[in-house]
């Protein structure tokens, strides 16, 4: 869960982390994002072309948005500046629908393959690497690594690092994604340094761990991950434009950018289960319908299993690689997002309303956070009616509140207003909405302070169906 929007990022340094997607996980946007951006009134009921224009803004490239409402799919597009013609109407049957790398939305397909294997009884979530890797590598695994289970891998709670061999970002990240063959990938496992003494760990996004899931499921069926995706998902659904190898479809790929710079496609081998798929909005709508159909749909009970929460993750929950927002029994949102060197993607399901969205962008710097914040606010609105508060009492809330080992929220008072920021970043003004309750209404964030013995000791920050809790570790005025 990201506490503060850092704006769109395109660098390889951020590639692995952005893959987890800040969609609906942004808790506090920085001051610029909180100024009622153009997408502030967007929802899943909006015109898809408006969402596309908001998501692309002034960046180069192409954005296509598909929306499912009332059982009907609609599409909208924005181009800037290629091609230099106004967008044409897109239909699901249109052969002109451009193709995009869907990045880490690929992980949802890997999660579904595991859900199918578990549903069939061919694999178990508690199967561990000691069992699953037997005979696949010569070097032995440490006891801690051997104990990591499929459940922990698919929920990013297995203490696995982002990548193998200490790679965390930069050119080395994309290089490893492109270069690693399957055996080279497996042989790296004995060298893995876990992020904790032993699993489970708090959620830590791992490309390596999720790729391992895909390879192990494929091994179970003596095939490749790509063939399993084709046989179990895309071919049965008729998703003919969801592929890894483009062949004669290469000309349909939307030109990729990072800002104004053209980018190459990201081809990969062993890491294919995390980000290798290319697809269209129409195909992703077909996929969305199949998941929303639940147990009565083409995937049967595996579709329900895919969305079933398995672990806590970033202030909310996670299923089979699917992020889950919202309380059990209430309004729940399921999503994943992704980024490659030249594309950004957001896939989202809202089963309570039967809605779905796919947003495909061919520029990693496209400001998707506007859409993310707006939809989060529309599905999980925060109170906005201001309740007067004695300015002298605001000093009670000043201080630092630790949220995670590396993140905290800082509160201070200026001009009779309480302000909050993630440590080291810009402040957002808060509006009082009740006793010990405040909001950043523009982005749908709500803050509630906790007391013990009359003293403020903690804070809960909620947004977009996710929630984090912080404990007060320092009092007093803070200086920028």
């Amino acid at each position: 869960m990201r506490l503060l929007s850092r704006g769109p990022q395109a660098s390889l340094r951020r590639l692995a982390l952005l893959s987890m997607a800040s969609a609906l996980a942004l808790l506090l946007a920085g001051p610029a994002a909180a100024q009622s951006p153009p997408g502030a009134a967007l929802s899943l009921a909006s015109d898809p072309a408006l969402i596309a224009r908001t998501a692309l803004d002034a960046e180069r490239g192409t954005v296509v948005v598909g929306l499912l409402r009332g059982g009907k799919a609609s599409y909208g597009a924005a181009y800037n500046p290629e091609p230099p013609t106004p967008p044409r109407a897109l239909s699901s049957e249109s052969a002109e629908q451009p193709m995009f790398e869907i990045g880490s939305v690929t992980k949802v397909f890997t999660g579904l393959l595991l859900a199918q294997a578990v549903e069939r009884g061919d694999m178990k979530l508690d199967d561990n690497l000691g069992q699953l890797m037997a005979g696949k590598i010569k070097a032995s695994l440490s006891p801690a690594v051997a104990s990591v289970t499929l459940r922990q891998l698919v929920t990013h709670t297995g203490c696995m690092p982002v990548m193998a061999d200490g790679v965390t970002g930069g050119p080395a990240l994309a290089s490893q994604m492109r270069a690693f063959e399957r055996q080279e990938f497996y042989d790296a496992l004995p060298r893995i340094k876990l992020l904790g003494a032993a699993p489970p760990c708090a959620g830590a996004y791992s490309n390596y761990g999720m790729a391992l899931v895909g390879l192990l499921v494929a091994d179970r069926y003596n095939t490749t991950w790509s063939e399993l995706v084709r046989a179990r998902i895309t071919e049965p659904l008729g998703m003919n434009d969801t592929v890894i190898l483009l062949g004669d479809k290469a000309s349909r790929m939307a030109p990729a950018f990072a800002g104004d710079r053209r980018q190459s496609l990201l081809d990969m081998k062993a890491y294919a289960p995390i980000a290798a798929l290319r697809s269209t909005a129409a195909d992703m709508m077909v996929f969305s319908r199949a998941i929303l159909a639940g147990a009565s749909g083409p995937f049967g009970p595996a579709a329900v299993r895919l969305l079933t929460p398995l672990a806590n993750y970033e202030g909310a929950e996670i299923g089979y690689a699917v992020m889950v927002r919202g309380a059990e029994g209430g309004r729940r949102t399921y999503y994943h997002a992704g980024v490659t060197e030249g594309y950004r993607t957001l896939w989202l399901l809202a089963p309570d309303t039967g809605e779905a969205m796919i947003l495909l962008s061919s520029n990693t710097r496209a400001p998707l956070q506007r859409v993310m914040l707006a939809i989060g606010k529309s599905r999980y609105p925060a109170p906005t009616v201001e309740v007067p508060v004695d300015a002298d009492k605001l000093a009670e809330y000043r201080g630092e509140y630790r949220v995670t080992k590396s993140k905290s929220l800082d509160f201070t008072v200026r001009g009779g207003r309480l302000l909050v920021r993630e440590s080291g970043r810009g402040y957002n003004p808060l509006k009082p909405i009740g006793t010990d309750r405040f909001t950043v209404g523009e982005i749908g964030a709500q803050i509630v302070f906790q007391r013990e013995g009359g003293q403020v000791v903690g804070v809960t920050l909620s947004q977009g169906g996710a929630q984090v809790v912080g404990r007060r570790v320092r009092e007093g005025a803070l200086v920028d």
Side-chain angles (χ1 to χ4, degrees), residues 9-319:
Q9 302 285 340
S11 70
L12 288 176
R13 180 179 61 84
R14 297 294 300 161
L15 180 59
L17 298 181
L18 278 176
S19 297
M20 75 174 122
S22 54
L24 300 180
L26 293 165
L27 282 185
L28 283 179
Q35 295 172 357
S36 298
L42 294 178
S43 72
L44 294 176
S46 297
D47 179 354
L50 173 61
I51 296 177
R53 290 195 298 272
T54 302
L56 185 58
D57 195 35
E59 296 293 345
R60 296 186 69 183
T62 303
V63 170
V64 175
V65 173
L67 289 176
L68 182 66
R69 292 191 74 237
K72 296 182 179 181
S74 58
Y75 303 89
Y79 306 118
N80 187 31
E82 295 183 8
T85 55
R88 292 186 293 271
L90 294 173
S91 70
S92 60
E93 294 78 22
S94 174
E96 297 178 351
Q97 277 222 349
M99 298 180 68
F100 300 77
E101 292 180 346
I102 66 172
S104 284
V105 176
T106 299
K107 292 180 174 70
V108 177
F109 289 72
T110 297
L112 178 57
L113 292 177
L114 177 61
Q116 290 173 329
V118 173
E119 191 65 37
R120 291 168 180 242
D122 295 334
M123 303 182 83
K124 298 178 181 178
L125 286 175
D126 292 331
D127 290 345
N128 63 49
L129 292 180
Q131 301 164 324
L132 295 166
M133 293 302 297
K136 292 182 172 64
I137 51 177
K138 295 180 180 179
S140 60
L141 302 178
S142 70
V145 171
S147 74
V148 176
T149 65
L150 287 174
R151 180 191 301 270
Q152 292 160 353
L153 291 175
V154 81
T155 59
H156 301 291
T157 58
C159 311
M160 285 285 174
V162 174
M163 304 286 286
D165 297 328
V167 170
T168 58
L173 188 149
S175 177
Q176 187 176 115
M177 282 187 172
R178 286 188 167 99
F180 264 34
E181 300 280 1
R182 175 177 154 187
Q183 193 58 50
E184 184 179 8
F185 182 96
Y186 279 165
D187 288 342
L189 188 56
R191 303 192 299 269
I192 287 291
K193 296 184 184 301
L194 296 182
L195 303 180
C201 289
Y205 197 81
S206 173
N207 284 321
Y208 185 86
M210 272 302 305
L212 192 54
V213 170
L215 296 179
L216 290 172
V217 174
D219 284 350
R220 175 62 182 80
Y221 297 107
N222 298 311
T223 186
T224 63
W225 175 86
S226 59
E227 174 58 23
L228 205 56
V229 169
R230 184 200 63 77
R232 297 271 174 90
I233 302 176
T234 59
E235 188 172 276
L237 293 184
M239 295 172 64
N240 299 320
D241 286 335
T242 302
V243 298
I244 296 176
L245 300 177
L246 289 166
D248 59 4
K249 301 179 189 292
S251 63
R252 292 175 54 196
M253 287 295 293
F257 296 90
D260 291 332
R261 296 180 61 185
R262 287 293 299 267
Q263 296 293 310
S264 302
L265 298 183
L266 184 59
D267 295 309
M268 56 195 73
K269 300 171 184 176
Y271 276 99
I274 67 160
L277 288 175
R278 286 88 184 233
S279 189
T280 64
D283 264 17
M284 290 303 297
M285 283 290 97
V286 171
F287 181 74
S288 300
R289 285 180 188 271
I291 301 302
L292 285 174
S296 62
F299 295 132
V304 178
R305 184 178 289 277
L306 173 72
L307 305 181
T308 301
L310 298 175
N312 294 325
Y313 185 81
E314 293 199 329
E317 294 177 293
I318 183 172

